[in-house]
Amino acid sequence: MSTTERPRILVVGGGYVGLYAAKRIMKKMRYGEATVTVVDPRSYMTYQPFLPEVAAGSISPRHVVVPLRRVLPKAEVLTGRVTSIDQDRKVAVVTPLVGEAYELPFDYLVIALGAISRTFPIPGLAEQGIGMKGVEEGIGLRNHVLEQLDKAESTTDEDVRRKALTFVFVGGGFAGAETIGEVEDMARDAAKYYTSIKREDMRFILVDAADKILPEVGPKLGVWGKEHLESRGIEIYLQTSMDSCVDGHVVLKNGLEVDSNTLVWTAGVKPNPVLARYGLPLGPRGHVDAAPTLQVTGTDYIWTAGDNAQVPDLAARKAGVENAWCPPNAQHALRQAKVLGDNVISGMRGFPQKEYEHANKGAVAGLGLHKGVAIVVMGKMKIKFKGRLAWYMHRGYHGLAMPTWNRKIRVFADWTLAMFLKREVVSLGALETPREEFYEAAKPAPAPVAASAPAQKAKAS
């Protein structure tokens, strides 16, 4: 970390908002005007809408992450966590991956921590659940599912086999519906290479506490999405929650009990709980309270946006929706980040702030290869698409929204190759414990076993 007398703009979080805001600031900033410092526990940003395709093997995991130091070569990128903020002294405490925590002074602050998985105190969830917020979880889910097929193929125990081939997904929003659609597609393809496993042997279950799935695309497309998934043999239980999942024994509120080695949890998100230690004004659900200018309420040097922010939706409010807030999605995050970056520069130079206003343009979702739903909003019209065309729209929108041309090209190259080559269905389960084999080879050899008594007598004779 370098020391400088220039004003420091501290960006807490290197996700979608943090990356794009820092990039925008550095683009608009004059040479030597300020120092931009980005702090995040990971040295890369993950494009989360592509995690279901990572889990299905449609996109290489390396192609959905963007290295911060490469995209922000003129910024300070610190790998660590901001554990507390002293607003009076304008100092943040940074805890690096290794070493002692230290204080970092700042002049302007951007809060872009995003959100984490929203969980509940359900017995067994912490031990059994697999989230879908990071690329590591996407890779892990793919390897885990394929490993369950390997286990089922190699055992003669029907209970073990049934537990391995039962897959439970909790949460029917975008993340849950897209993930179960992609994973079921992959498992269906993979089953062709196993002699004793057919798609009919597998059981896919989707559970949601709401009365519909895919609420983001409206009720009609949500119903079509539900019927489509059910036509592929996926069981869907609505207005149902999970009571427990200890040791893989899943108990649902509706009385259904199943044994499963796979529990994928996508039941919503919540703001990062560390926000409570920053001394910022928070909304009722823990989001940082922001003005339409994306400035934190009551401050003129702190900005926030994205999943950790409570930002008024001016477009919806003008349309008559009271107390409307911007939903946590990539569409708003990208546009908020650009306005935030411009406002930080304006604030630094003493110019007026611009309010963020964006009318929803629609939503797209993929439900597996060549299957999807989409809704496009044009003024007061809502045009709905489903099937292959919606799937093309889903890939086109997110492919273009992927940060940097380097990653855009790599993602589209993955899709193009997939048109001509079969899907890879190899399990790399050893990735979770890569040193295990070397450890077994390097550990001290056991002491020699003493000769048995009969062998000694034979030698004597």
Side-chain angles (χ1 to χ4, degrees):
M1 184 193 68
S2 64
T3 58
T4 175
E5 295 183 0
R6 291 179 293 183
R8 172 178 272 114
I9 302 168
L10 176 59
V11 181
V12 183
Y16 211 92
V17 170
L19 171 66
Y20 267 103
K23 195 174 179 182
R24 185 80 168 189
I25 290 168
M26 303 204 62
K27 179 181 178 181
K28 295 293 186 78
M29 195 171 60
R30 292 190 290 262
Y31 177 76
E33 188 174 5
T35 298
V36 177
T37 303
V38 180
V39 182
D40 194 276
R42 294 179 174 87
S43 61
Y44 54 85
M45 168 265 185
T46 302
Y47 190 68
Q48 293 178 352
F50 278 154
L51 291 182
E53 292 205 46
V54 169
S58 300
I59 301 177
S60 170
R62 290 174 298 137
H63 298 165
V64 302
V65 296
V66 181
L68 296 176
R69 288 182 174 86
R70 182 171 180 175
V71 180
L72 304 170
K74 296 181 180 179
E76 290 182 343
V77 177
L78 306 179
T79 307
R81 301 178 186 274
V82 173
T83 51
S84 64
I85 294 173
D86 188 331
Q87 295 185 47
D88 294 331
R89 296 169 52 218
K90 287 191 175 181
V91 167
V93 175
V94 177
T95 302
L97 290 183
V98 293
E100 298 293 325
Y102 56 87
E103 291 188 343
L104 185 69
F106 63 85
D107 298 275
Y108 306 96
L109 184 62
V110 176
I111 304 295
L113 280 176
I116 64 172
S117 296
R118 181 184 62 187
T119 58
F120 303 99
I122 298 173
L125 178 58
E127 295 78 14
Q128 301 293 323
I130 302 172
M132 280 296 286
K133 289 291 292 176
V135 68
E136 304 87 354
E137 292 170 318
I139 300 170
L141 176 59
R142 169 179 166 73
N143 290 328
H144 174 82
V145 169
L146 293 174
E147 194 173 26
Q148 299 313 303
L149 302 187
D150 291 342
K151 288 180 180 179
E153 174 87 347
S154 61
T155 184
T156 57
D157 189 319
E158 277 301 315
D159 291 335
V160 172
R161 177 183 166 89
R162 191 181 305 110
K163 188 173 183 179
L165 295 179
T166 300
F167 308 94
V168 180
F169 293 71
V170 181
F174 267 178
E178 288 187 317
T179 303
I180 196 170
E182 293 283 357
V183 170
E184 190 274 340
D185 228 6
M186 177 190 69
R188 184 185 295 270
D189 281 351
K192 299 173 184 176
Y193 301 97
Y194 292 84
T195 56
S196 67
I197 299 177
K198 297 181 177 62
R199 170 59 183 92
E200 293 74 24
D201 299 325
M202 305 179 208
R203 190 177 184 186
F204 283 85
I205 299 172
L206 178 62
V207 180
D208 197 289
D211 60 353
K212 56 182 175 293
I213 67 168
L214 294 170
E216 300 90 343
V217 296
K220 289 187 178 179
L221 286 179
V223 170
W224 184 89
K226 176 176 180 291
E227 292 174 350
H228 168 76
L229 292 176
E230 287 176 332
S231 71
R232 291 159 57 182
I234 297 173
E235 302 172 38
I236 299 179
Y237 299 99
L238 300 178
Q239 295 180 297
T240 301
S241 56
M242 185 174 67
D243 282 341
S244 68
C245 55
V246 177
D247 295 329
H249 184 68
V250 179
V251 180
L252 303 182
K253 282 281 188 188
N254 63 0
L256 179 67
E257 297 188 23
V258 295
D259 288 320
S260 172
N261 287 336
T262 309
L263 174 67
V264 182
W265 182 269
T266 58
V269 296
K270 65 180 180 181
N272 197 311
V274 75
L275 293 170
R277 300 205 296 266
Y278 288 178
L280 302 172
L282 302 180
R285 293 179 298 166
H287 299 79
V288 179
D289 193 25
T293 59
L294 304 177
Q295 288 176 306
V296 174
T297 304
T299 73
D300 60 359
Y301 65 95
I302 307 177
W303 290 262
T304 188
D307 292 0
N308 69 183
Q310 179 177 271
V311 180
D313 189 339
L314 297 184
R317 294 188 182 195
K318 287 180 180 179
V321 182
E322 296 183 6
N323 297 321
W325 307 97
C326 295
N329 58 36
Q331 183 180 156
H332 279 290
L334 172 60
R335 290 168 172 81
Q336 287 176 359
K338 292 179 179 179
V339 174
L340 187 153
D342 291 344
N343 281 350
V344 170
I345 295 295
S346 297
M348 190 167 56
R349 296 174 183 171
F351 295 150
Q353 298 282 293
K354 177 184 176 183
E355 291 187 340
Y356 172 76
E357 181 177 347
H358 170 68
N360 180 33
K361 299 298 183 184
V364 291
L367 300 175
L369 203 60
H370 304 148
K371 300 170 279 284
V373 292
I375 181 169
V376 177
V377 180
M378 301 178 66
K380 294 185 178 180
M381 291 178 56
K382 292 184 178 180
I383 307 173
K384 301 177 179 67
F385 302 89
K386 55 193 177 186
R388 185 182 288 262
L389 179 57
W391 176 76
Y392 282 127
M393 295 172 67
H394 161 75
R395 282 199 161 182
Y397 174 80
H398 285 299
L400 294 175
M402 183 73 198
T404 79
W405 279 105
N406 180 302
R407 288 305 188 262
K408 284 181 173 68
I409 292 170
R410 291 177 185 273
V411 167
F412 278 102
D414 283 343
W415 288 337
T416 303
L417 288 172
M419 294 170 62
F420 305 101
L421 304 174
K422 291 184 178 180
R423 190 199 302 259
E424 286 286 351
V425 290
V426 61
S427 169
L428 298 177
L431 282 174
E432 297 178 13
T433 53
R435 293 190 63 255
E436 184 174 0
E437 186 173 346
F438 181 81
Y439 174 77
E440 291 295 327
K443 69 180 183 181
V449 179
S452 62
Q456 291 175 349
K457 288 181 181 178
K459 186 177 179 180
S461 63

